[in-house]
Amino acid sequence: MARNKIALIGAGQIGGTLALLAGLKDLGDVVLFDVVEGVPQGKALDLAELAPVAGFDATFAGTNTYDAIGGADVVIVTAGVPRKPGMSRDDLLAINLKVMEQVGAGIRKYAPEAFVICITNPLDAMVWALQRTSGLPAMKVVGMAGVLDSARFRYFLADEFGVSVEDVTAFVLGGHGDTMVPLVRYSTVGGIPVPDLIRMGWTSAERIAAIVERTRNGGAEIVNLLKSGSAFYAPAASAIAMAESYLKDKKRLLPAAVRLDGAYGLRDIYVGVPVVIGARGVERIVEVDLDPAERAMFEKSVASVEGLVEACLKIAPDL
Ligand code: TXD
């Protein structure tokens, strides 16, 4: 059987880490695309030289032209510019929207059968735009944020309880950013819901509230430490988990930004909810019950995503 092909649009910090993880996990051959000449080629060569040591046979290619992504099974998009001092949120939106137009056109022409995972920020608006510019079916275009946000939540909970991260499941809904909704009620340790653990005296409601806040600010905490650039190891690993579920038809239930067309009472908007990812892409959207407080937080998060989408439509009315 031929190896799968994974195209990475954007060969920056996350793009390079995605390529490394795809190789180590034997997911397939990797093509790194970037507008900067030399960087994707250099990273591809470095990774090809790592393969004999790590013991895998995937090929790595670096490119500056879209034809090289032809026939990709999975496309992961990190292309874009980060927010720089003096740049407003709308300035960033306008620049990355233009990038999504180019990337969408490339995918439409060369990889129309692919499963597409968008990582570029502002995530929920960019994946919404990418689905439109690529013209791919919505169930094949998703955004990565929830796996990362819930991984952060899991790590903090495991640390709090002094248990393995493997035994902690955590649940995060809503848009990516400080309005995300970590759902304590649906987060568990070995199947025991966190509110029960509070009752059992393992922790306090106050400490859990602080963990929820730290999760919401997880991206900013790392940006403040790094000073330049943002998190890349955990974001890359999160997108790889989604790609793997698609390529191996694992049908994992993961949080992802997907287009809602009725679920949660919403239409034509991308927002983070739990979904099943398998060989057909998004195979099921899971609609969980929300209590009034959770619903209010979710609605606030959705409103902030709607604001971003409206800003996109002001910049590009034809989208
Ligand atoms: O949870 C999440 N979704 C995120 C999102 C978590 C962390 C970071 N997140 C966002 O991912 C971040 O705000 C950025 O928008 C992306 C990529 O982050 P990364 O750290 O990899 O950024 P880099 O290193 O700046 O890489 C971006 C690359 C860089 O090499 C540029 O030359 C390239 O994108 N770039 C382009 N590639 C292709 N086509 C175009 N037009 C283009 N413009 C820039």
Side-chain angles (χ1 to χ4, degrees), residues 9-16 33-36 39-40 43 66 77-83 92 95-96 98-100 102-103 118-124 126 143-146 148-149 152 176 219 229-232 234-236 238:
I9 312 294
Q13 295 273 63
I14 299 180
F33 173 99
D34 206 289
V35 285
V36 179
V39 168
K43 289 196 177 182
Y66 273 103
V77 180
T78 58
V81 299
R83 193 160 150 189
L92 175 77
I95 296 171
N96 283 352
K98 271 261 162 310
V99 173
M100 290 307 116
Q102 295 165 10
V103 176
C118 181
I119 305 184
T120 304
N121 269 332
L123 192 266
D124 305 274
M126 290 303 107
M144 188 296 293
L148 172 65
D149 295 331
R152 288 179 171 150
H176 185 49
S230 48
F232 53 99
S238 302

Side-chain angles (χ1 to χ4, degrees), residues 89 118-128 142-150 152 171-183 212-213 215-219 255-260 264 266 269-274 290 294-309:
R89 220 183 157 89
C118 181
I119 305 184
T120 304
N121 269 332
L123 192 266
D124 305 274
M126 290 303 107
V127 63
W128 173 87
V142 301
M144 188 296 293
V147 176
L148 172 65
D149 295 331
S150 61
R152 288 179 171 150
F171 201 105
V172 173
L173 271 184
H176 185 49
D178 46 16
T179 62
M180 84 177 78
V181 189
L183 286 184
V212 164
E213 215 31 49
T215 303
R216 285 207 177 104
N217 298 321
V258 294
R259 197 176 79 188
L260 298 181
Y264 291 91
L266 297 168
I269 184 166
Y270 265 82
V271 66
V273 296
L290 299 177
E294 292 161 350
R295 163 86 24 210
M297 282 191 286
F298 183 61
E299 276 167 11
K300 190 172 158 211
S301 185
V302 168
S304 100
V305 177
E306 280 168 347
L308 287 171
V309 168

Side-chain angles (χ1 to χ4, degrees), residues 12-288:
Q13 295 273 63
I14 299 180
T17 313
L18 286 167
L20 173 64
L21 292 173
L24 292 174
K25 287 175 112 7
D26 257 330
L27 292 188
D29 293 335
V30 175
V31 176
L32 282 148
F33 173 99
D34 206 289
V35 285
V36 179
E37 281 175 28
V39 168
Q41 290 84 354
K43 289 196 177 182
L45 182 57
D46 191 9
L47 286 158
E49 291 167 357
L50 169 145
V53 187
F56 58 80
D57 289 302
T59 63
F60 294 89
T63 183
N64 305 111
T65 57
Y66 273 103
D67 54 351
I69 74 164
D73 299 285
V74 169
V75 178
I76 308 180
V77 180
T78 58
V81 299
R83 193 160 150 189
K84 298 195 186 79
M87 196 191 265
S88 76
R89 220 183 157 89
D90 284 355
D91 293 340
L92 175 77
L93 198 75
I95 296 171
N96 283 352
L97 196 55
K98 271 261 162 310
V99 173
M100 290 307 116
E101 282 172 7
Q102 295 165 10
V103 176
I107 294 173
R108 181 196 289 260
K109 183 156 183 203
Y110 294 106
E113 302 296 324
F115 180 59
V116 178
I117 303 169
C118 181
I119 305 184
T120 304
N121 269 332
L123 192 266
D124 305 274
M126 290 303 107
V127 63
W128 173 87
L130 186 62
Q131 192 269 325
R132 294 191 166 216
T133 58
S134 67
L136 266 57
M139 66 180 204
K140 298 291 279 297
V141 183
V142 301
M144 188 296 293
V147 176
L148 172 65
D149 295 331
S150 61
R152 288 179 171 150
F153 197 18
R154 286 172 69 189
Y155 165 65
F156 299 146
L157 288 172
D159 195 40
E160 171 68 9
F161 294 125
V163 299
S164 165
V165 288
E166 276 185 63
D167 296 322
V168 180
T169 62
F171 201 105
V172 173
L173 271 184
H176 185 49
D178 46 16
T179 62
M180 84 177 78
V181 189
L183 286 184
V184 174
R185 196 158 68 89
Y186 286 119
S187 302
T188 69
V189 175
I192 309 166
V194 170
D196 289 6
L197 292 163
I198 296 173
R199 273 193 290 278
M200 287 153 64
W202 277 41
T203 185
S204 63
E206 293 70 33
R207 289 179 71 90
I208 294 298
I211 287 177
V212 164
E213 215 31 49
R214 191 174 176 199
T215 303
R216 285 207 177 104
N217 298 321
E221 185 177 359
I222 291 187
V223 167
N224 289 338
L225 289 166
L226 293 177
K227 307 283 189 295
S228 77
S230 48
F232 53 99
Y233 294 119
S238 302
I240 288 291
M242 296 166 75
E244 191 175 17
S245 191
Y246 170 76
L247 289 169
K248 298 186 179 168
D249 193 23
K250 284 170 74 83
K251 304 197 192 294
R252 292 197 60 192
L253 202 159
L254 298 168
V258 294
R259 197 176 79 188
L260 298 181
D261 283 303
Y264 291 91
L266 297 168
R267 266 184 206 290
D268 190 24
I269 184 166
Y270 265 82
V271 66
V273 296
V275 299
V276 174
I277 297 177
R280 286 180 283 124
V282 175
E283 299 190 346
R284 166 181 261 188
I285 292 176
V286 184
E287 204 169 350
V288 292

